[in-house]
Amino acid sequence: MGSTTDKIKGMANEAAGNVKQAVGKVIGNENLEAEGVLQERKGEAQQAIGKAKDAIKKGVDSV
């Protein structure tokens, strides 16, 4: 997967996680809220991977 794809998927997972958290909080569903937290963390990790890939590519390209 490319760095841009990782970052886009990460943003989507982070956004979906935030929505799940909010909905879970509103309806009092702790499981949905917890699932949202996990999905948000997954999204953050995906974005970090995308940024790391960018940094590596820049390092390789500058050699």
Side-chain angles (χ1 to χ4, degrees), residues 20-31:
K20 284 182 182 179
Q21 286 178 65
V23 171
K25 209 173 264 191
V26 167
I27 65 174
N29 185 332
E30 291 179 3
N31 289 334

Side-chain angles (χ1 to χ4, degrees), residues 8-24 32-33 35-41 43:
I8 291 170
K9 285 186 176 187
M11 283 187 262
N13 272 317
E14 196 171 345
N18 285 325
V19 170
K20 284 182 182 179
Q21 286 178 65
V23 171
L32 184 60
E33 196 173 342
E35 187 179 317
V37 170
L38 290 174
Q39 190 166 5
E40 180 183 7
R41 299 295 183 260

